Amino acid sequence: METAWASIFRGAFIEGEPRAAKAGTSYYVENPANGQPVAEVAECGVEDVNDAVVAATVAAGEWSQVPPARRKDVLVRFSRLIEEHLEELALLETLATGKPISDARTSDIPESAQCIRWHAEAADKLYGEVAPTGPDSLGMIVREPVGVVGAIIPWNYPAQMAAWKIGPALATGNTVIIKPAHMTPLSLLRMAELGSEAGLPPGALNVLPGRGEIVGTAIARHPGIDLVAFTGSTAVGRTLLAHAGETNLKRVLLELGGKSPQIVLEEPGDLDMVAARVAAAIFKNMGENCSAGSRLLVHQRHKSALVERVAALAETDWAAGDPLVATTRTGPLISGGHKERVLNYVRIGRQEGARLITGGTSVLEDTGGHFVAPTVFDTVTNNMRVAQEEIFGPVLAVIAFDNEREAVSLANDSPYGLAATLYTENVKSVLRIARALRVGTVSVNTPSTGDYTVPFGGYKLSGYGGHDKSAHAHDQYTELKTIWIDVG
Ligand code: NAP
Ligand code: MG
């Protein structure tokens, strides 16, 4: 069975068709649940990026001139095809990422389709402006596509991160060259074929699997690419800015990491409900989530009751298992290397004096997969590395506070500023705290950061200009042009 999968070869997707890499290079995508190869994939290089830029530039001439209502039709069809291929795409997503198939089926793939449709439907509802000039002039402010958009995305939500970028970029008339994370190219390669089937012109959506250091760097430095949209680590975000600075000053959109606090205040309501949501916010997608609620700031009065409940959930509902089983909520981590990184943070936490309540170990080792038991650390202080650094795994750091002021100060004492969650029944403290937090999204009594109607982006080291989702995403992928006419 494994041999059959591994014999499947997936090319890059350039100019509307699958292609081997110019240099003939390839690599194997591995299933993190058993360490076995899933498919062989073209490993692109600089020449492939150059070819994709030529194709995307030609396609931009065509796609930007397609009337918005027609662009809408093509992209709505694209979203429908994704929905029609739900089972196949969900399976590809789970085989490459190890995420639970139930999440891939009910969230990753349907939400990718919904995202593309949301932006598609906006395509013919974006107006320009007429400036309030005197009678002798006409000042028009028009939006134009930026041109060729480069996108570099991570492995944690491969289809969804792609949809967040290609949705608004294509809807506003740009063409796209996207590099999936090298470990997770499969769902996106299939989606690109569906895009062509929906009527995207050849070259409008190109997918180039390969190494970040090579393909990512080539995208960031290419003079023919006008913008790079990135989701991933702060370290890579910094290098992309440097590449843009040294080359054509392309616009750089950065959606980076986080160390998001979940703040449980003095009047949190039903603690069982709060515990279930707190656990979901850190353990969903194995904690491999930029907005994971990895710090639990809890009022001293509720700490032991809440920690006990969350730990119990970690050991039951969130126990690791085969991601292809429908009831599994925790699959393997993405790779053996990442598992070691997460386990190393567990060692660091213990050395720093945090108390390990549950988890912190490698489990299900006989599967050959990279499983780590959902982990809770109590008696953490906010200066510890496990409270400051993004672990990107199922590790919760619990920190107690005595009053609201202390909670806000702990929450903001982080290099990151992506998201925060508040649990309270006190409306007045909600507004006070929401305004005081230096983060891009504040969620109240829910771990959800919202749907496509609201932007998602960070403050501080969580990046900027990475406002994927909502109509604000369209601003990111368009230029504003002024046309000033003398009519006096
Ligand atoms: P990463 O290194 O930032 O990778 C993200 C994307 O950037 C991947 O496509 C990667 O390609 C590419 N890349 C890597 N090095 C590059 C370079 N020098 N130039 C251009 N592109 C480059 O993130 P990661 O290694 O996957 O994970 C590391 C940490 O990043 C995580 O532990 C987590 O803290 C953070 N992270 C955050 C998010 C988020 O949603 N904000 C998502 C993923 C990771 P390759 O796949 O070839 O490396
Ligand atoms: Mg990396």
Side-chain angles (χ1 to χ4, degrees), residues 47-64:
E47 303 158 279
D48 302 295
V49 175
N50 292 339
D51 286 356
V53 172
V54 172
T57 306
V58 172
E62 179 185 345
W63 183 242
S64 63

Side-chain angles (χ1 to χ4, degrees), residues 265 267 404 423-432 445:
L265 293 161
E267 303 162 64
E404 189 180 304
Y423 289 96
T424 180
E425 292 188 323
N426 182 336
V427 170
K428 284 186 186 166
S429 55
V430 166
L431 264 190
R432 245 188 338 256
N445 294 328

Side-chain angles (χ1 to χ4, degrees), residues 137-313:
S137 318
L138 173 62
M140 295 194 299
I141 305 168
V142 298
R143 260 180 216 263
E144 294 183 344
V146 169
V148 176
V149 166
I152 302 173
I153 58 169
W155 41 259
N156 54 345
Y157 290 95
Q160 238 178 320
M161 291 304 102
W164 284 16
K165 294 181 185 347
I166 63 188
L170 290 173
T172 48
N174 302 280
T175 56
V176 178
I177 298 170
I178 183 164
K179 190 202 95 64
H182 72 272
M183 291 184 280
T184 57
L186 301 180
S187 54
L188 181 55
L189 286 169
R190 185 68 183 111
M191 281 163 67
E193 291 175 349
L194 299 175
S196 278
E197 201 178 318
L200 284 174
L205 174 58
N206 306 278
V207 180
L208 276 69
R211 295 274 158 188
E213 291 77 5
I214 296 169
V215 176
T217 303
I219 287 175
R221 299 191 72 86
H222 204 294
I225 296 180
D226 303 289
L227 178 157
V228 62
F230 174 71
T231 297
S233 62
T234 299
V236 172
R238 287 182 198 278
T239 70
L240 297 179
L241 279 175
H243 289 318
E246 286 161 11
T247 57
N248 65 341
L249 285 184
K250 57 175 64 65
R251 196 182 290 181
V252 181
L253 309 177
L254 300 177
E255 203 267 277
L256 310 175
K259 193 74 192 179
S260 299
Q262 308 197 56
I263 308 172
V264 179
L265 293 161
E266 205 170 354
E267 303 162 64
D270 176 13
L271 265 195
D272 287 323
M273 182 275 288
V274 173
R277 294 178 181 186
V278 164
I282 178 61
F283 299 138
K284 194 167 165 42
N285 212 51
M286 293 70 74
E288 295 170 335
N289 185 351
C290 52
S291 58
S294 50
R295 286 187 296 154
L296 175 60
L297 310 182
V298 53
H299 193 279
Q300 190 70 58
R301 195 150 77 88
H302 302 297
K303 197 189 75 165
S304 44
L306 190 59
V307 167
E308 192 181 304
R309 284 169 170 77
V310 173
L313 291 168

Side-chain angles (χ1 to χ4, degrees), residues 442-455:
V442 178
S443 306
V444 181
N445 294 328
T446 171
S448 166
T449 51
D451 63 15
Y452 299 107
T453 61
V454 291

Side-chain angles (χ1 to χ4, degrees), residues 19 33 87 103 114 133 136 148 168 187 285 290 304 313 372 374 376 418 454:
R19 279 194 197 168
E87 297 300 335
D103 289 347
Q114 285 156 21
T133 60
D136 293 346
V148 176
S187 54
N285 212 51
C290 52
S304 44
L313 291 168
V372 169
V376 177
L418 191 57
V454 291

Side-chain angles (χ1 to χ4, degrees), residues 388-400:
Q388 289 291 316
E389 297 174 20
E390 187 176 41
I391 298 174
F392 224 64
V395 181
L396 181 66
V398 182
I399 303 169

